[in-house]
Amino acid sequence: MTSVDLEPTDAGRHIPAKSPARWVRRNLFRTWYDSSITIGFGVLFAWVLVGIVRFLLTADYTILRRNLALFMLGSFPRDQLHRPAAALLMIALATGLAAGALTAHRREIAAVTGVGYQSSRVIDVVRRFWPVVLLVVVLLALTETITPSLIVVGALGLGLIGVWAGRRIRARFRRLAWAALLVLPFLVYFMLAGFGGVGWRGWGGLHLNLFVTVAGVLLAFPLGLVLALGRKSSLPAVRTLSVAYIEFVRGVPLITLLLMGVFAIGFFLPAGVRPGTVTRVLIAITVFESAYIAEVVRGGLQAVPKGQVEAAQALGMTPWSIMRRIVLPQALRATIPAMVGQFISLFKDTTLVGVVGLPEVLSVAQDVNTQPDFVAQGLERLTLPFAALIFWVGSYTMSREARRLERKLGVGER
Amino acid sequence: MTTEVARNRPPFWRDLRVLRIVLQLLALVGAGVLAYVIWFNLTNNLRAQGIRTDFGFLDQPIGVQIPDSALSRNATVRQAFLVGIKNTLALVVVGLPLLTIIGVVVGVARLSTNWLAAKAAGLFVELLRNLPPLLIIVFVFRAVILQLPPSRAPITPFGWLVISNLRITVPGFEAHDGYPAFQVLMGIALLVVVGAWWWRTRLSDRTGVAHHRVLWSVGLFVSIGVVGFLILDRPFGLSRPSLDGRIVTGGFSGLGGYFAVLIALVIYTASHVAEIVRGSLQAVPKGQTEAAHALALSGFQRLRFVMLPQAMRIALPPVINQYLNFTKNTSLALAVGYAEITTLAFQSIGNGQPAPQVIAMLMLIYLFFSLTISLLVNLVNRRLQVVTR
Amino acid sequence: MTAPTPLADATHAKGAEIIVLEGVDKYFGDFQALRDINMRVGRQEVVVVIGPSGGGKSTLIRCINRLEKHDRGRIVIDGIELTDDIKNIQEVRRETGMVFQQFNLFPHVTVLENVTLAPRQVRRMPKKDAEELAMAMLRRVKIPEQARKHPGQLSGGQQQRVAIARALAMQPKILLFDEPTSALDPEMIKEVLDVMEELAASGITMIVVTHEMGFARAVADRVVFMADGEIVEVGTPEHFFRSPEEARTKQFLAQIL
């Protein structure tokens, strides 16, 4: 029967052969069983591929074109669109700066340790992020004016400038640069909401999904850290409380917490406090994420060898100092891949907020089909895959980067 | 010089033992105060709005007709929730075995030497893993199920299925006369099988002959089954769904929503399981295969005695975690209106039942499922622990 | 039980008492790891503790800096008694330094930062002074050129010497060694033992748990043999290796020598 090849660790490394014909024979037609599978799958693939291509070529994309702003930004007022544009440019610049500073940092380390370092060329970066490039191209193809394309080009330009500038930041200021990155979400928020802008009650579309994800992780992280430390505490009462919280929240589906937040949280608060829906959703998501982040941090804490703590104790350091300088730096670095995984998970879970009434991307994809021009035409077959593309690109890219990071962190010292 | 030693107890604010107790008391008091404040607010606010604060709502009428159940609009909330639990279990009981099989097959296929099979499996996994489960459910429901023929004009492919956008009916199980006798017979067959297993094992231990106990057991069971089937004159059979105007009788029937959620969650969770299976097979240290080779074990023996047991140990905890995720994700049926517990909770609240209690009850039900599965994980983990020094 | 030789109970001729253990017991659950330990160590004395695995040697020195808590008896370090008083514990830990079998260097900072961390955080030394002190210590263990590297880039022997420098930077009165060479490749053991010999000669009080008999013979003022949680025999190296008295001592020495 088709054998299971357990030795190669990269999926896809198959039996090498001297010529294409031999390769085909070895990998596709080794035995009669093999051949029948090849033929079966081949036919299936061809049929599906032809069907999809035919659909894509003949579909009417008007529903997407006309509602693109709805998908991306919800009902953001047309006259305020310069705000998201400015925010995008700001993010591009900041990302460029961060990437540049990271490159310079890595180069310095390589100089000291003697390990080689090669900077990546633009073409390599493009190849690495091809899903994002694909998505941007698709989105721009659906736009009806030239402005979005100009903004994207502007963002790219600013990003490159940022990389150039980031490489030149002196080492002393680099710590500041990383701290600035944390301030970025707040800056973006002010850009969008400050001075008569649109607060988060008016946000929708992909923008809302991203906001809920970032805000959720930022708010949940401190709480999750406290819970993780509580779970490892030697004081039984503290440990029990932490475990109870974590196991309770992890045992229920997110939707129940969202329902609780939207329908019931008003009752738990003092009379007269009536938070808006987005606030309620944020509270529910913070509670939810904090339990999962607590588990991620716990994993990181466990990765720090006990001997480290003992050595620090033997040196006379206080428990607080030990935690701050020895345990947490190592623990948190160890959690980065898992934290990215949690971020991706939350990003996908933001689709649930559509169920409780917020206009996030998936619910937009469903609602546009009720518009009078598009009713009952089965256009869900177009809008839902479009929403799926957005999520797929985000999730796939982030998990690939997380895996790269994991490999880098595992091998190197820094 | 003699050593001067302080014999007194240290001041309490520096005494480790005192501090431990004080800190814990603080934590407990803090949590207690928080809980009290919330409780106080809750009862006050509910009372102020004239909403009941107890669990008496369970005896109120549900006010909604639940499809596929014997309940009327006046059935109590409690009865409705029992039906909801049954519906959730219908998803879980059918879904978990299905996703396991598909997940294992796809995971193993990913490592196949057939390039197409490996690529196909890879595509399946990378596509589905990165999508939100809710999106898959909504897609399957709206873009597939709802596109099926309307319920007033269903199609009947092969004469054995009845398919519409509301309901899908497949051939089902039907017991005829003689089924109870058949059950008794198969019970006896089970005992025979156990005996055969034991006998073949003893024989093999004593004489070194290959025991083939699986072959013997299965063979005996099937033979007895076939003989029984013939003697008792077909004690069970397939019930063929038949269409009578708009009513479908016979067969096993499920609502469109049920199938949407089932298919979507099965393929989504299976994609995760496939990754786990692949990872665990590759995680068995290479030295193990080499040692097995050195011991002259055949390919099948290597797989059975060395690779699979170790791969299973690695894979089992994350797979059971996926089972947990599947169970929790059934709550997403809310988006397609399938009447499992979350949908029913949502509808109850819409009909005026007190939200805090309804949702609290909902959470407790899921907690119960989760804790049961977690306990299972711990039991399995403990048994499978590779004993170390 | 108190060892029969007078040297175990009395202070050494070199200096006054700095470590006192009286009637110390330690349990791990039902298992008794230390039984009625009575020991006194004088200033500038070098005590080497030997014995079979699981005999309580590591537990003994870990009780001295409170990495383990003793269940019964008294432990007094330089006049400070080890109790539940946090202040006492911190003081004792400032005055004692420990070198571990697994080095336990902090991998996320450089060698120099490893050595300066405690002086800066615990003794509140200014950065410049701490770095000068650290470089002096690194010179003492003969690896000043590795200061800017990370521990992961050093060999085992070099890492252990950094660990010694790190302990020395706190200028402790007592140095505790928990099998410092057991995790090293044979060719690196000598460089660490050389450093330890030089430290002993410089007059610092040392308690060393080790299997390196050569080191014990060359450097120890007293050798203590522990088995099954109790001190079986104590003596000078000459007495110990040439004419041990207890049966268990003889048996152990026969196995390893």
Side-chain angles (χ1 to χ4, degrees), chain C residues 134-155:
Chain C
M135 287 308 294
M137 293 301 116
L138 286 173
R139 275 191 289 273
R140 200 165 163 190
V141 299
K142 313 229 180 0
I143 42 170
E145 70 282 358
Q146 311 288 350
R148 302 268 165 206
K149 291 207 182 148
H150 282 273
Q153 298 168 292
L154 271 54
S155 74

Side-chain angles (χ1 to χ4, degrees), chain C:
Chain C
M1 279 314 296
T2 316
T5 17
L7 281 171
D9 224 3
T11 56
H12 194 267
K14 264 196 188 165
E17 282 177 355
I18 192 170
I19 300 179
V20 177
L21 285 91
E22 279 178 6
V24 174
D25 286 341
K26 165 81 188 147
Y27 291 87
F28 287 108
D30 285 334
F31 172 68
Q32 187 167 15
L34 293 176
R35 292 170 205 279
D36 195 27
I37 301 290
N38 291 287
M39 190 166 105
R40 286 165 195 257
V41 178
R43 289 185 196 279
Q44 302 191 325
E45 191 178 344
V46 177
V47 174
V48 174
V49 183
I50 62 174
S53 305
K57 317 188 296 292
S58 286
T59 315
L60 177 66
I61 62 168
R62 285 161 68 94
C63 282
I64 292 180
N65 71 350
R66 194 61 162 208
L67 284 182
E68 303 287 352
K69 181 179 146 155
H70 60 284
D71 294 315
R72 211 173 292 147
R74 288 174 61 219
I75 300 183
V76 185
I77 314 287
D78 199 20
I80 310 166
E81 179 167 0
L82 271 181
T83 60
D84 283 320
D85 190 340
I86 302 180
K87 184 158 164 288
N88 287 7
I89 298 176
Q90 293 296 91
E91 255 195 82
V92 165
R93 285 181 176 165
R94 279 198 289 270
E95 298 308 319
T96 56
M98 188 169 219
V99 177
F100 298 82
Q101 183 179 355
Q102 301 296 337
F103 330 140
N104 289 335
L105 293 179
F106 308 131
H108 59 297
V109 293
T110 62
V111 160
L112 187 68
E113 286 165 348
N114 259 277
V115 181
T116 58
L117 184 65
R120 287 178 68 187
Q121 296 301 317
V122 181
R123 292 207 193 277
R124 309 237 166 264
M125 224 186 257
K127 181 167 173 188
K128 220 160 145 287
D129 299 345
E131 288 189 350
E132 272 178 35
L133 173 64
M135 287 308 294
M137 293 301 116
L138 286 173
R139 275 191 289 273
R140 200 165 163 190
V141 299
K142 313 229 180 0
I143 42 170
E145 70 282 358
Q146 311 288 350
R148 302 268 165 206
K149 291 207 182 148
H150 282 273
Q153 298 168 292
L154 271 54
S155 74
Q158 290 171 324
Q159 288 189 46
Q160 193 62 301
R161 286 187 278 158
V162 172
I164 296 176
R166 179 175 67 172
L168 283 176
M170 287 293 284
Q171 296 163 315
K173 299 211 178 77
I174 303 165
L175 269 183
L176 305 168
F177 292 83
D178 189 357
E179 302 206 30
T181 55
S182 297
L184 293 175
D185 289 335
E187 62 269 17
M188 291 189 255
I189 294 182
K190 182 175 184 308
E191 64 196 52
V192 174
L193 288 180
D194 285 345
V195 168
M196 287 165 67
E197 280 189 36
E198 187 257 307
L199 283 176
S202 74
I204 189 167
T205 315
M206 285 165 63
I207 304 186
V208 183
V209 173
T210 185
H211 294 299
E212 295 292 326
M213 297 303 149
F215 176 80
R217 244 194 280 247
V219 169
D221 293 316
R222 264 191 298 163
V223 177
V224 172
F225 173 64
M226 274 189 75
D228 302 316
E230 38 186 28
I231 296 182
V232 175
E233 187 164 349
V234 182
T236 60
E238 303 80 47
H239 159 99
F240 209 87
F241 291 109
R242 211 164 300 149
S243 45
E245 289 174 14
E246 298 282 329
R248 274 188 285 181
T249 322
K250 292 186 201 167
Q251 192 181 28
F252 177 72
L253 289 175
Q255 282 171 336
I256 58 161
L257 287 178

Side-chain angles (χ1 to χ4, degrees), chain A residues 48 56 77 126-127 131 171 173 188 193 197 208 248-249 252 255 262 270-271 305 310 354 407:
Chain A
V48 167
L56 286 176
V126 168
R127 207 181 298 164
F173 299 115
V188 169
L208 180 63
F248 179 86
V249 172
V252 296
I255 191 80
V262 170
E310 288 186 347
R407 254 177 293 158

Side-chain angles (χ1 to χ4, degrees), chain A residues 239-360:
Chain A
R239 199 171 51 229
T240 320
L241 284 171
S242 305
V243 169
Y245 178 100
I246 294 173
E247 290 305 313
F248 179 86
V249 172
R250 277 165 49 106
V252 296
L254 174 57
I255 191 80
T256 56
L257 286 166
L258 283 173
L259 289 176
M260 181 68 94
V262 170
F263 293 117
I265 213 169
F267 296 116
F268 296 114
L269 299 169
V273 178
R274 289 271 166 270
T277 314
V278 180
T279 317
R280 291 166 183 252
V281 160
L282 271 181
I283 295 176
I285 287 196
T286 304
V287 167
F288 182 74
E289 264 315 281
S290 61
Y292 288 84
I293 288 181
E295 284 299 282
V296 168
V297 172
R298 182 170 83 118
L301 288 173
Q302 278 177 332
V304 178
K306 187 165 163 243
Q308 301 268 317
V309 177
E310 288 186 347
Q313 283 173 331
L315 286 167
M317 288 171 71
T318 62
W320 170 245
S321 197
I322 297 176
M323 184 59 61
R324 210 185 120 208
R325 293 185 181 277
I326 308 295
V327 176
L328 281 183
Q330 294 184 70
L332 291 181
R333 188 178 298 154
T335 64
I336 290 178
M339 280 298 292
V340 175
Q342 210 41 54
F343 188 87
I344 298 171
S345 214
L346 180 57
F347 178 57
K348 294 193 296 179
D349 284 340
T350 54
T351 47
L352 269 69
V353 309
V355 175
V356 289
L358 291 181
E360 54 76 46

